[in-house]
Amino acid sequence: MFSKGFISLCCYLVLPLFICNVSAQQITWSQHIAPIIHRNCTPCHRQGEAAPFSLLTYEEVAKRASFIKRVTENHYMPPWKPDPHYVGFANERKLSDEEIRLIGEWAEHGMPRGESTEKAAPAFVSGTLFNREPDLVLRMKSSYVLKGDNVERFIVYKLPFELPDSVAVEAIEFTSNNKKVIHHANYEIDDVPDADLYNTADYVDNTESHLDYYQQYVSYRKMMKYFGGWIPGSSYESYPEDMGWVMPKRGVVLLTVHYAPVGKDEEVISGVQFFFKKKPVKRFIKATTYGSGGVGEKDIEPFFYIPANVEKSFKLNVKIPETQSLMYVWPHMHLLGKTFKAYAVTPEKDTIRLVSIPQWDFNWQEVYWFPKLIKIPKGTVLTIEGTYDNTVNNASNPSFPPQLVYGAMRTKDEMMTMIMMTIPYEKGDEETEIKRK
Ligand code: HEC
């Protein structure tokens, strides 16, 4: 390691551009690095969350310093897939150039610790990314053993609940002890004022036939209050201010878990947890699916199939029937996805950019939050464009050699989908910043 004198000599003589803002010797864990890591990395890199190791303490970070330098310099971490130059989002994960520089130099100069760090470590609530204790935790009644027979499965779990009263929801979060075997999960929240919540099956296998599902759960599906989901890489969904939806007093969550094929038995306990808020909901959120599995599915052009050994692009145009304010967009493709873009053109021919993902990655999907509500006038044409790579050049291609692929839900099939979360438009929406906690 260099002496302080040597570093300041360098500042005068040879390296003034590189290390003289904060000279490398002065970059310490406690003063510079811990705040960057705790804000940008620890939410995922801690016990019980998605990342494979914890980055909380000095020891945990220092021993991986050169690895961390590499993944931050090449922008692999923190993970963020949309092109920030196309449109920016409120939940963007990003380090500034200065933060990347500080990490790199700290790693190169022996990772000085600085003063005692204990006071700097923030409090993280375990088991949630929303970072407060959930008000209602619903889980599968018992753990589910996923057979290691390489079969892809769709299982629907019933999670009944009874509350003292209906209540406004601030956030909803999917939980699982074993996210790596899950391709995606969907949940619907049903209001069930009278039917028996308990005399039906705890779960049904929906892989081959939907008959059991209908027979068991048909009585629950009359008043759906909300639906949402989880895809690899995504976190919770939250609703600011007086926006959102109301959890009924009594009902069920029907949680559909789509399991990837696995080669050995795996044990899974999943569920959905809820965070409530005092502020009453005045503006109700609606989630609408566009493209595969939703509005306009039949209008994707050309007809949605991808022959083996080709790259192919598709486009969907859909007219929006009523004026609305857009809060979130949630793009979705599977493993052949290469690029995804969505925009909307108003009747006045203004283009509203919605999202662009130049290098689609199935493992990093997210619901993207706009900093302000976006007015989508009646008659606006929404356009979704997707490109798929069904060649051997695509390292994520699930089939070798590549196979002909159609539009459907299984991992080896493909989708071109975007869910839009909207509320009915009110005057002035597009001018107000959304306040989030
Ligand atoms: C949204 C959650 C999330 C955030 C935020 C996040 N990580 Fe990660 N990180 C992961 C997951 C999940 C993996 C394992 C999967 C992978 O390697 O792609 C991972 C992997 C890594 C790896 C190993 C990469 C490899 O090739 O094996 C390093 C190093 C890392 N993260 C460092 C960081 C640092 C440093 C930050 C903050 C600047 C950060 N991560 C922020 C979720 C996250």
Side-chain angles (χ1 to χ4, degrees):
M1 221 196 298
F2 301 127
S3 73
K4 208 166 205 157
F6 178 78
I7 296 277
S8 18
L9 194 64
C10 288
C11 288
Y12 285 110
L13 300 177
V14 261
L15 295 170
L17 286 176
F18 297 108
I19 54 172
C20 293
N21 294 349
V22 186
S23 90
Q25 279 277 301
Q26 290 160 10
I27 300 172
T28 63
W29 162 254
S30 55
Q31 203 186 338
H32 307 97
I33 304 302
I36 301 174
I37 299 289
H38 289 156
R39 192 172 55 248
N40 297 287
C41 316
T42 322
C44 297
H45 284 268
R46 64 189 158 110
Q47 210 63 46
E49 288 308 328
F53 45 80
S54 165
L55 293 177
L56 179 64
T57 65
Y58 170 79
E59 287 74 18
E60 287 164 347
V61 177
K63 78 173 181 213
R64 299 187 177 90
S66 60
F67 199 8
I68 290 171
K69 171 180 179 328
R70 185 149 32 99
V71 299
T72 51
E73 280 173 356
N74 66 17
H75 302 282
Y76 182 64
M77 289 283 148
W80 188 252
K81 294 294 160 190
D83 175 2
H85 304 295
Y86 188 71
V87 52
F89 293 104
N91 56 338
E92 182 175 339
R93 290 187 286 254
K94 182 178 190 298
L95 294 181
S96 68
D97 293 345
E98 175 67 4
E99 289 169 327
I100 295 169
R101 185 188 71 86
L102 287 169
I103 293 173
E105 292 192 358
W106 178 71
E108 273 176 14
H109 292 93
M111 294 85 73
R113 181 166 191 153
E115 285 147 36
S116 159
T117 57
E118 308 330 316
K119 62 180 182 297
F124 288 100
V125 179
S126 73
T128 173
L129 287 169
F130 195 59
N131 216 28
R132 79 169 159 85
E133 292 294 340
D135 298 297
L136 175 66
V137 177
L138 301 178
R139 288 218 182 88
M140 290 155 42
K141 201 166 173 189
S142 50
S143 67
Y144 177 78
V145 178
L146 179 63
K147 277 210 203 75
D149 55 3
N150 282 309
V151 172
E152 191 159 3
R153 290 191 166 78
F154 293 81
I155 311 290
V156 186
Y157 303 90
K158 174 191 74 178
L159 316 176
F161 60 86
E162 291 186 82
L163 300 168
D165 206 347
S166 60
V167 56
V169 176
E170 181 173 10
I172 179 168
E173 187 174 38
F174 171 74
T175 60
S176 180
N177 69 329
N178 203 344
K179 284 183 177 161
K180 68 176 194 302
V181 300
I182 300 175
H183 177 104
H184 87 269
N186 283 338
Y187 40 76
E188 64 170 69
I189 293 89
D190 294 318
D191 185 352
V192 187
D194 35 33
D196 193 318
L197 301 178
Y198 305 99
N199 71 350
T200 46
D202 295 329
Y203 69 86
V204 297
D205 191 328
N206 217 14
T207 312
E208 297 290 334
S209 136
H210 302 283
L211 196 62
D212 282 350
Y213 176 67
Y214 284 111
Q215 282 177 346
Q216 292 290 325
Y217 299 153
V218 69
S219 59
Y220 302 146
R221 307 201 63 225
K222 292 176 193 141
M223 282 187 285
M224 183 168 81
K225 286 293 165 190
Y226 196 67
F227 85 86
W230 176 89
I231 37 186
S234 67
S235 47
Y236 54 84
E237 214 183 284
S238 76
Y239 321 101
E241 302 178 48
D242 61 355
M243 301 163 203
W245 53 276
V246 173
M247 182 90 181
K249 196 173 158 166
R250 182 177 190 279
V252 294
V253 176
L254 293 178
L255 172 66
T256 303
V257 181
H258 172 183
Y259 292 106
V262 292
K264 71 169 177 58
D265 286 7
E266 296 270 355
E267 205 168 313
V268 190
I269 306 176
S270 303
V272 180
Q273 56 194 19
F274 298 84
F275 303 84
F276 298 145
K277 62 181 171 187
K278 298 240 158 55
K279 199 161 188 166
V281 175
K282 297 216 181 80
R283 308 188 66 190
F284 288 84
I285 290 203
K286 192 171 130 193
T288 310
T289 304
Y290 292 93
S292 313
V295 180
E297 172 158 38
K298 299 276 181 305
D299 303 321
I300 298 178
E301 288 184 347
F303 179 74
F304 195 71
Y305 81 103
I306 310 159
N309 301 308
V310 303
E311 265 190 32
K312 197 167 171 184
S313 297
F314 300 89
K315 191 168 186 167
L316 169 66
N317 290 325
V318 188
K319 198 169 258 184
I320 306 285
E322 61 206 340
T323 301
Q324 46 196 266
S325 290
L326 176 63
M327 290 177 74
Y328 301 144
V329 287
W330 178 7
H332 181 61
M333 306 163 106
H334 292 173
L335 298 158
L336 301 182
K338 189 174 182 194
T339 67
F340 187 102
K341 189 185 245 185
Y343 51 89
V345 179
T346 68
E348 286 74 45
K349 300 285 173 246
D350 291 326
T351 298
I352 307 169
R353 297 173 171 197
L354 298 178
V355 59
S356 169
I357 302 186
Q359 287 175 291
W360 177 261
D361 184 340
F362 181 81
N363 292 317
W364 294 113
Q365 305 184 55
E366 185 57 275
V367 177
Y368 300 111
W369 309 356
F370 294 104
K372 287 180 181 173
L373 292 173
I374 295 187
K375 180 182 179 184
I376 309 279
K378 175 179 175 168
T380 293
V381 175
L382 165 72
T383 300
I384 300 174
E385 295 173 357
T387 304
Y388 298 80
D389 182 350
N390 193 9
T391 72
V392 292
N393 301 330
N394 176 0
S396 309
N397 198 328
S399 303
F400 185 81
Q403 305 288 317
L404 169 67
V405 163
Y406 286 101
M409 297 271 277
R410 290 171 313 157
T411 319
K412 284 187 170 190
D413 308 320
E414 265 306 331
M415 295 182 80
M416 184 172 89
T417 301
M418 189 169 76
I419 297 177
M420 304 217 303
M421 272 88 141
T422 58
I423 52 179
Y425 175 74
E426 278 181 16
K427 203 159 172 280
D429 271 356
E430 61 273 48
E431 269 102 56
T432 26
E433 199 92 15
I434 301 175
K435 285 196 217 73
R436 296 191 164 89
K437 70 159 215 143

PDB file of all heavy atoms in Angstrom, residues 48-63:
ATOM      1  N   GLY A  48     -32.148 -13.836   3.363  1.00  0.00           N
ATOM      2  CA  GLY A  48     -33.557 -14.021   3.014  1.00  0.00           C
ATOM      3  C   GLY A  48     -33.995 -13.329   1.730  1.00  0.00           C
ATOM      4  O   GLY A  48     -35.115 -13.497   1.291  1.00  0.00           O
ATOM      5  N   GLU A  49     -33.143 -12.540   1.114  1.00  0.00           N
ATOM      6  CA  GLU A  49     -33.528 -11.898  -0.138  1.00  0.00           C
ATOM      7  C   GLU A  49     -32.896 -12.602  -1.335  1.00  0.00           C
ATOM      8  O   GLU A  49     -32.208 -13.586  -1.192  1.00  0.00           O
ATOM      9  CB  GLU A  49     -33.190 -10.402  -0.102  1.00  0.00           C
ATOM     10  CG  GLU A  49     -34.096  -9.581   0.808  1.00  0.00           C
ATOM     11  CD  GLU A  49     -35.598  -9.771   0.537  1.00  0.00           C
ATOM     12  OE1 GLU A  49     -35.985 -10.003  -0.621  1.00  0.00           O
ATOM     13  OE2 GLU A  49     -36.387  -9.699   1.491  1.00  0.00           O
ATOM     14  N   ALA A  50     -33.137 -12.029  -2.530  1.00  0.00           N
ATOM     15  CA  ALA A  50     -32.853 -12.747  -3.772  1.00  0.00           C
ATOM     16  C   ALA A  50     -31.369 -13.024  -4.034  1.00  0.00           C
ATOM     17  O   ALA A  50     -31.019 -14.037  -4.626  1.00  0.00           O
ATOM     18  CB  ALA A  50     -33.434 -11.960  -4.943  1.00  0.00           C
ATOM     19  N   ALA A  51     -30.485 -12.148  -3.609  1.00  0.00           N
ATOM     20  CA  ALA A  51     -29.089 -12.270  -4.016  1.00  0.00           C
ATOM     21  C   ALA A  51     -28.366 -13.377  -3.237  1.00  0.00           C
ATOM     22  O   ALA A  51     -28.750 -13.705  -2.122  1.00  0.00           O
ATOM     23  CB  ALA A  51     -28.387 -10.930  -3.826  1.00  0.00           C
ATOM     24  N   PRO A  52     -27.321 -13.933  -3.853  1.00  0.00           N
ATOM     25  CA  PRO A  52     -26.693 -15.129  -3.285  1.00  0.00           C
ATOM     26  C   PRO A  52     -25.815 -14.902  -2.046  1.00  0.00           C
ATOM     27  O   PRO A  52     -25.428 -15.863  -1.396  1.00  0.00           O
ATOM     28  CB  PRO A  52     -25.858 -15.680  -4.444  1.00  0.00           C
ATOM     29  CG  PRO A  52     -25.634 -14.519  -5.356  1.00  0.00           C
ATOM     30  CD  PRO A  52     -26.808 -13.615  -5.185  1.00  0.00           C
ATOM     31  N   PHE A  53     -25.462 -13.671  -1.735  1.00  0.00           N
ATOM     32  CA  PHE A  53     -24.664 -13.434  -0.525  1.00  0.00           C
ATOM     33  C   PHE A  53     -25.021 -12.070   0.043  1.00  0.00           C
ATOM     34  O   PHE A  53     -25.583 -11.218  -0.666  1.00  0.00           O
ATOM     35  CB  PHE A  53     -23.152 -13.514  -0.812  1.00  0.00           C
ATOM     36  CG  PHE A  53     -22.746 -12.783  -2.058  1.00  0.00           C
ATOM     37  CD1 PHE A  53     -22.581 -11.401  -2.052  1.00  0.00           C
ATOM     38  CD2 PHE A  53     -22.551 -13.472  -3.254  1.00  0.00           C
ATOM     39  CE1 PHE A  53     -22.231 -10.718  -3.202  1.00  0.00           C
ATOM     40  CE2 PHE A  53     -22.208 -12.787  -4.419  1.00  0.00           C
ATOM     41  CZ  PHE A  53     -22.046 -11.416  -4.395  1.00  0.00           C
ATOM     42  N   SER A  54     -24.678 -11.870   1.313  1.00  0.00           N
ATOM     43  CA  SER A  54     -25.036 -10.631   1.982  1.00  0.00           C
ATOM     44  C   SER A  54     -23.937  -9.584   1.778  1.00  0.00           C
ATOM     45  O   SER A  54     -22.746  -9.910   1.784  1.00  0.00           O
ATOM     46  CB  SER A  54     -25.243 -10.954   3.463  1.00  0.00           C
ATOM     47  OG  SER A  54     -25.253  -9.767   4.201  1.00  0.00           O
ATOM     48  N   LEU A  55     -24.346  -8.348   1.559  1.00  0.00           N
ATOM     49  CA  LEU A  55     -23.404  -7.229   1.499  1.00  0.00           C
ATOM     50  C   LEU A  55     -23.871  -6.190   2.515  1.00  0.00           C
ATOM     51  O   LEU A  55     -24.490  -5.195   2.162  1.00  0.00           O
ATOM     52  CB  LEU A  55     -23.366  -6.613   0.091  1.00  0.00           C
ATOM     53  CG  LEU A  55     -22.804  -7.467  -1.038  1.00  0.00           C
ATOM     54  CD1 LEU A  55     -22.912  -6.736  -2.375  1.00  0.00           C
ATOM     55  CD2 LEU A  55     -21.343  -7.848  -0.777  1.00  0.00           C
ATOM     56  N   LEU A  56     -23.597  -6.470   3.787  1.00  0.00           N
ATOM     57  CA  LEU A  56     -24.060  -5.566   4.834  1.00  0.00           C
ATOM     58  C   LEU A  56     -22.866  -5.051   5.644  1.00  0.00           C
ATOM     59  O   LEU A  56     -22.702  -3.847   5.821  1.00  0.00           O
ATOM     60  CB  LEU A  56     -25.055  -6.299   5.738  1.00  0.00           C
ATOM     61  CG  LEU A  56     -25.627  -5.501   6.914  1.00  0.00           C
ATOM     62  CD1 LEU A  56     -26.451  -4.322   6.427  1.00  0.00           C
ATOM     63  CD2 LEU A  56     -26.490  -6.401   7.805  1.00  0.00           C
ATOM     64  N   THR A  57     -22.028  -5.975   6.082  1.00  0.00           N
ATOM     65  CA  THR A  57     -20.933  -5.582   6.965  1.00  0.00           C
ATOM     66  C   THR A  57     -19.665  -5.273   6.167  1.00  0.00           C
ATOM     67  O   THR A  57     -19.546  -5.642   4.992  1.00  0.00           O
ATOM     68  CB  THR A  57     -20.590  -6.731   7.937  1.00  0.00           C
ATOM     69  OG1 THR A  57     -20.093  -7.820   7.156  1.00  0.00           O
ATOM     70  CG2 THR A  57     -21.809  -7.170   8.727  1.00  0.00           C
ATOM     71  N   TYR A  58     -18.745  -4.631   6.846  1.00  0.00           N
ATOM     72  CA  TYR A  58     -17.444  -4.340   6.228  1.00  0.00           C
ATOM     73  C   TYR A  58     -16.799  -5.623   5.703  1.00  0.00           C
ATOM     74  O   TYR A  58     -16.339  -5.673   4.552  1.00  0.00           O
ATOM     75  CB  TYR A  58     -16.512  -3.670   7.250  1.00  0.00           C
ATOM     76  CG  TYR A  58     -15.094  -3.560   6.743  1.00  0.00           C
ATOM     77  CD1 TYR A  58     -14.748  -2.554   5.843  1.00  0.00           C
ATOM     78  CD2 TYR A  58     -14.108  -4.468   7.146  1.00  0.00           C
ATOM     79  CE1 TYR A  58     -13.457  -2.470   5.339  1.00  0.00           C
ATOM     80  CE2 TYR A  58     -12.815  -4.385   6.644  1.00  0.00           C
ATOM     81  CZ  TYR A  58     -12.490  -3.390   5.747  1.00  0.00           C
ATOM     82  OH  TYR A  58     -11.224  -3.304   5.242  1.00  0.00           O
ATOM     83  N   GLU A  59     -16.797  -6.671   6.530  1.00  0.00           N
ATOM     84  CA  GLU A  59     -16.118  -7.913   6.142  1.00  0.00           C
ATOM     85  C   GLU A  59     -16.738  -8.498   4.861  1.00  0.00           C
ATOM     86  O   GLU A  59     -16.041  -8.934   3.952  1.00  0.00           O
ATOM     87  CB  GLU A  59     -16.183  -8.964   7.259  1.00  0.00           C
ATOM     88  CG  GLU A  59     -15.279  -8.679   8.447  1.00  0.00           C
ATOM     89  CD  GLU A  59     -15.798  -7.542   9.343  1.00  0.00           C
ATOM     90  OE1 GLU A  59     -16.999  -7.191   9.254  1.00  0.00           O
ATOM     91  OE2 GLU A  59     -14.981  -6.995  10.129  1.00  0.00           O
ATOM     92  N   GLU A  60     -18.057  -8.506   4.812  1.00  0.00           N
ATOM     93  CA  GLU A  60     -18.742  -9.105   3.652  1.00  0.00           C
ATOM     94  C   GLU A  60     -18.437  -8.346   2.358  1.00  0.00           C
ATOM     95  O   GLU A  60     -18.352  -8.939   1.288  1.00  0.00           O
ATOM     96  CB  GLU A  60     -20.266  -9.111   3.877  1.00  0.00           C
ATOM     97  CG  GLU A  60     -20.712 -10.136   4.897  1.00  0.00           C
ATOM     98  CD  GLU A  60     -22.125  -9.889   5.417  1.00  0.00           C
ATOM     99  OE1 GLU A  60     -22.692  -8.793   5.191  1.00  0.00           O
ATOM    100  OE2 GLU A  60     -22.661 -10.803   6.061  1.00  0.00           O
ATOM    101  N   VAL A  61     -18.278  -7.055   2.462  1.00  0.00           N
ATOM    102  CA  VAL A  61     -18.029  -6.258   1.266  1.00  0.00           C
ATOM    103  C   VAL A  61     -16.543  -6.270   0.922  1.00  0.00           C
ATOM    104  O   VAL A  61     -16.167  -6.465  -0.239  1.00  0.00           O
ATOM    105  CB  VAL A  61     -18.558  -4.816   1.466  1.00  0.00           C
ATOM    106  CG1 VAL A  61     -18.234  -3.949   0.258  1.00  0.00           C
ATOM    107  CG2 VAL A  61     -20.066  -4.856   1.709  1.00  0.00           C
ATOM    108  N   ALA A  62     -15.690  -6.110   1.943  1.00  0.00           N
ATOM    109  CA  ALA A  62     -14.251  -6.007   1.681  1.00  0.00           C
ATOM    110  C   ALA A  62     -13.716  -7.279   1.026  1.00  0.00           C
ATOM    111  O   ALA A  62     -12.900  -7.222   0.106  1.00  0.00           O
ATOM    112  CB  ALA A  62     -13.505  -5.709   2.979  1.00  0.00           C
ATOM    113  N   LYS A  63     -14.213  -8.438   1.451  1.00  0.00           N
ATOM    114  CA  LYS A  63     -13.633  -9.666   0.883  1.00  0.00           C
ATOM    115  C   LYS A  63     -14.043  -9.863  -0.585  1.00  0.00           C
ATOM    116  O   LYS A  63     -13.445 -10.663  -1.292  1.00  0.00           O
ATOM    117  CB  LYS A  63     -13.973 -10.878   1.753  1.00  0.00           C
ATOM    118  CG  LYS A  63     -15.347 -11.434   1.610  1.00  0.00           C
ATOM    119  CD  LYS A  63     -15.450 -12.730   2.428  1.00  0.00           C
ATOM    120  CE  LYS A  63     -16.819 -13.341   2.308  1.00  0.00           C
ATOM    121  NZ  LYS A  63     -17.270 -14.025   3.489  1.00  0.00           N
TER     122      LYS A  63
END
